């Protein structure tokens, strides 16, 4: 069995009386393409928030590469190789895409605290930022303010920004949401092209996309892991169908 | 059109190279010296020759400008609304006064000691503003400002209490330039410190550190998600701002040879906020432009209505907010960026 | 000892009445109104003018102070404040500081800068002795009135239709509007009511807290502490915070006069370190 990089043990999160995450114990192997699916309100985003430290859990623990990171600050988790994208774009509106990714690269390289040298002087950071933006088709708008970019471009920047941190574990919260249908596969293609040892945990509603991308799937219902298995197992599981049909009915 | 260009390797690498060149250019352009910056410093020097009778008010402007520029680092960059920035200004003023009274009359030494002392206070209090909401920060900063005022009031044996601190006269700057009666040397001294301070903070603004501060202000959650250690950055920025605020206070002491308890009064914290808001936040020179406008308006008001000028300052604040301060301070964007018109996009 | 405690409670109760309007503006409209003290000052001066110039009884002045301050609040809310509910906190801070400055200068212009004194009715002045504890009659009066008000406030919020509408509007403005609640009206009335309470507090506090044009600035920090320590989600939170602050301040100034003025700041700092999200906030959101 291969190495577990991300693990939760009996994770619980309550909002008042509402149980958003109910005793979730999840194991994600290194290099996995792991999808997290489930009906609306199943607690998928809450789980991502718990994994990345946006929210503290009510109970339970989170481990990254064997280390207990349950109470670690978000930025430290990112430094240890865990990062994410957001379902709703979380960008720096007044920044240009170039400034945005340059910031992330500078922080990754550990020069973010330098307050004396101009950021223009970090040639390697700028070059890498430019190359990354080119890869996401954002070169032409790299000098515009993010807030005036069309939604599709902002969405790409959202994902490019997570890439800039060079994560070893990447959590994608509905990366294709709002991206036109014919371009979704290309977005995920970039993700699929990540080195094999980068672990990806994906939340997605589009089942075709999930089945073509993932090699392992967890189904979340009402905050708890309902069933977990390979693509073949999940796609033929009658119970999963029932959950989704039940939602649609 | 496809979002992700499917190009051959050759054209892909050449487009990457093009992107790199453009990125480097854009980044250099960001920190380029703007047209208005040069105008500001030329005007500051020109004022020395053209307005010899106005040295006192010009000195006042330079000091207020340094104070406001230091606040911009906290407010315009890190996005922290402070109601007690004068705690650092006032501490610097008293330290400079005490230095001159008891130890060394040389101003630059006093200036540095005052800056360091205020910086220490900034560092200590910065931990209190890290947590909580805007509301708790308002309370904390206001509380620290008031506390400092109370300290100065209670320690009358040291600070002179309500009478203030006097009976000292600053020596020649660096042992060479004696302060003159007309305040000419004082003005140059303050402009010099303002220039150095602004240049230092300008470097900080365009460094990776400065960028990360703006990221914390823009979107704290995301900035954490790109590994920006928010608290550490805020502590550093707050401390640096305190150093320069303290130096501004020291300049006031040294040019007036007097420390009044008024240096710690709440209205100074409010004034400096107003100054920055008039000039616009987040690009440092807003503090300088704001200081010029504010001082002129206040000077004019205090001639018209010496006792009740506060009313009009309040009215100004209310109108400014209702009109929308963004609209007012956006004028800077219409200034030409550089001398030549050539665009180099 | 008990006398100090008693005075502290009276002081704290007064702070609560003064600040609870601010709690509501903050919790309900997310508006940081630093000018809240100006409404309190208005109430205080209404009392001073009515009593000292026209010789009207103190008891009539209290409701008058409430009504005048509430009216001022209503007018300002409709004309100015309502435009800034969506504005940034910085804008709100600047705006309300502007109002404070104008209020201070205007008061100074019309009333002069000196401390204002009022002559309490004889039955409220002096002390009486209860089981060996010296109790100021006026302090007792203050405590009773404030306690009644606090209970009434709690009942209004939890039991009446207006209270439930208010809570609905706080929770989710859009949904509340969808349910046919006139949110702007609820906001305006609440703002006016909060201002009125502040005015009443200012009137009653003229004797205990003092009254001069700098009143709104002097007590700004107290209001902020009460609100940030007490939180904005309950009535009891700010109430307890105000009591704590009042007792600590009075006791500090009595027992350790040299450092008395620092007690509230010490309290503030300790609170920040121990419970940065407020003393009575619900754990986590």
């Amino acid at each position: 069995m291969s190495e577990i990089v991300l693990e939760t043990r009996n994770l619980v999160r309550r909002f008042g009386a509402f149980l958003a995450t109910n005793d979730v114990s999840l194991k994600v192997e290194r290099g996995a393409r792991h999808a997290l699916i489930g009906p609306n309100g199943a607690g998928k985003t809450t789980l991502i928030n718990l994994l990345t430290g946006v929210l503290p859990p009510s109970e339970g623990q989170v481990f990254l590469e064997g280390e207990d990171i349950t109470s670690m600050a978000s930025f430290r988790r990112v430094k240890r190789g865990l990062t994410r994208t957001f379902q709703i774009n979380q960008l720096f509106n007044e920044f240009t895409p170039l400034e945005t990714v340059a910031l992330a690269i500078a922080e990754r390289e550990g020069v973010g605290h330098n307050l004396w040298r101009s950021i223009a002087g970090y040639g390697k950071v700028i070059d890498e930022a430019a190359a990354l933006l080119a890869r996401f088709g954002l070169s032409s708008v790299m000098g515009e303010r993010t807030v005036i970019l069309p939604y599709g471009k902002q969405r790409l920047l959202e994902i490019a920004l997570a890439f800039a941190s060079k994560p070893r574990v990447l959590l994608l919260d509905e990366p294709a949401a709002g991206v036109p249908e014919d371009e979704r596969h290309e977005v995920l293609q970039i993700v699929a092209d990540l080195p094999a040892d980068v672990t990806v945990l994906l939340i997605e509603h589009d089942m075709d996309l999930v089945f073509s991308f993932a090699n392992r799937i967890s189904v979340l219902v009402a905050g708890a892991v309902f069933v977990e298995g390979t693509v073949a197992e999940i796609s033929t599981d009658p119970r999963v169908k029932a959950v989704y049909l039940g939602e649609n009915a | 059109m496809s979002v992700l260009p499917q190009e051959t390797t050759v054209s892909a690498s050449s487009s990457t190279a093009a992107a790199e060149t453009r990125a480097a250019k854009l980044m250099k352009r960001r920190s380029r010296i703007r047209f208005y910056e040069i105008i500001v410093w030329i005007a500051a020097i020109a004022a020395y020759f053209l307005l010899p009778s106005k040295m006192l008010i010009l000195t006042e402007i330079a000091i207020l400008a340094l104070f406001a520029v230091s606040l911009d680092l906290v407010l315009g960059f890190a996005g922290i609304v402070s109601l007690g920035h004068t705690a650092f200004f006032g501490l610097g003023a008293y330290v400079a006064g005490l230095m001159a009274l008891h130890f060394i009359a040389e101003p630059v030494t006093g200036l540095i000691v005052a800056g360091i002392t205020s910086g220490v206070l900034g560092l200590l209090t910065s931990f209190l503003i890290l947590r909580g909401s805007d509301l708790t920060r308002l309370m904390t900063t206001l509380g620290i400002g008031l506390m400092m005022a109370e300290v100065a009031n209670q320690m009358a044996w040291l600070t002179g209490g309500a009478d203030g601190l006097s009976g000292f006269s600053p020596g020649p700057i660096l042992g060479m330039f004696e302060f003159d009666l007309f305040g000419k040397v004082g003005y140059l001294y303050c402009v010099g410190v303002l220039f150095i301070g602004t240049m230092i903070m300008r470097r900080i603004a365009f460094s990776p550190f400065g960028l990360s501060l703006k990221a914390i202000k823009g979107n704290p959650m995301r900035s954490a998600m790109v590994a920006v250690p928010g608290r550490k950055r805020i502590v550093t920025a707050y401390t640096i701002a305190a150093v320069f605020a303290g130096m501004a206070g020291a300049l006031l002491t040294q040019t007036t040879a007097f420390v009044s308890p008024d240096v710690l009064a709440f209205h100074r914290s409010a004034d400096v906020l107003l100054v920055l808001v008039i000039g616009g936040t987040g690009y440092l020179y807003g503090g300088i432009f704001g200081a010029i406008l504010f001082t002129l308006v206040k000077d004019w008001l205090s001639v018209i209505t010496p006792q009740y000028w506060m009313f009009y300052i309040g009215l100004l604040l209310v109108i400014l907010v209702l009109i929308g301060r963004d609209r007012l301070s956006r004028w800077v964007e219409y200034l030409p960026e550089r001398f030549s018109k050539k665009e180099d996009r | 000892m008990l006398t100090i405690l008693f005075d502290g409670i009276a002081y704290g109760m007064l702070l609560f009445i003064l600040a609870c309007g601010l709690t509501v503006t903050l919790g309900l409209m997310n508006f940081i109104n630093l000018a809240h003290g100006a409404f309190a000052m208005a109430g205080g001066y209404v009392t001073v003018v009515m009593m000292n110039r026209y010789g009207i009884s103190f008891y009539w002045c209290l409701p008058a102070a409430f009504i005048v301050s509430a009216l001022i609040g209503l007018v300002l809310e409709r004309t100015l404040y309502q435009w800034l509910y969506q504005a940034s906190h910085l804008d709100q801070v600047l705006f309300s500081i502007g109002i404070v400055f104008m209020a201070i200068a205007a008061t100074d212009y019309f009333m002069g800068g000196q401390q204002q004194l009022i002559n309490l009715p004889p039955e409220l002045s002096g002390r009486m002795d209860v089981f060996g504890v010296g109790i100021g009659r006026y302090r007792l009066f203050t405590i009773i009135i404030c306690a009644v008000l606090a209970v009434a406030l709690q009942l209004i919020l939890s039991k009446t239709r207006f209270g439930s509408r208010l809570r609905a509007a706080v929770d989710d403005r859009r949904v509340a509007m969808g349910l046919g609640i006139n949110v702007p009206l609820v906001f305006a009335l609440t703002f006016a009511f909060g201002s009125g309470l502040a005015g009443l507090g200012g009137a009653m506090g003229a004797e205990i807290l003092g009254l001069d044009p700098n009143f709104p600035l002097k007590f700004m920090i107290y209001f902020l502490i009460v609100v940030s320590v007490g939180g904005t989600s309950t009535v009891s939170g700010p109430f307890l915070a105000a009591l704590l602050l009042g007792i600590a301040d009075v006791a500090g100034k009595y027992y350790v006069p040299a450092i008395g003025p620092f007690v509230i700041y010490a309290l503030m700092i300790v609170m920040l370190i121990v419970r940065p999200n407020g003393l009575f906030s619900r754990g986590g959101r």
Side-chain angles (χ1 to χ4, degrees), chain B residues 277-317:
Chain B
V277 164
I278 295 174
T281 57
Y283 72 105
L284 299 178
Y285 282 78
I288 300 179
F289 294 130
I292 297 170
L293 270 170
F294 177 85
T295 311
L296 293 179
V297 168
K298 191 177 154 183
D299 197 49
W300 175 65
L301 282 176
S302 57
V303 171
I304 300 179
T305 160
Q307 223 185 327
Y308 305 109
W309 58 269
M310 201 180 197
F311 182 85
Y312 294 95
I313 295 287
L315 189 63
L316 190 65
L317 272 168

Side-chain angles (χ1 to χ4, degrees), chain A residues 11 14 25 78 118 157 175 190 199 244:
Chain A
L11 213 55
R14 290 185 207 91
S25 295
V78 179
S118 168
L157 181 58
I190 302 186
T199 311
Y244 271 85

Side-chain angles (χ1 to χ4, degrees), chain A residues 33 159 163 170 172 187-194 200 213:
Chain A
R33 301 288 185 265
I159 299 162
F163 272 57
L170 176 60
L172 297 167
V187 171
L188 274 198
Q189 194 55 48
I190 302 186
V191 177
D193 286 346
L194 280 169
V200 181
F213 172 80

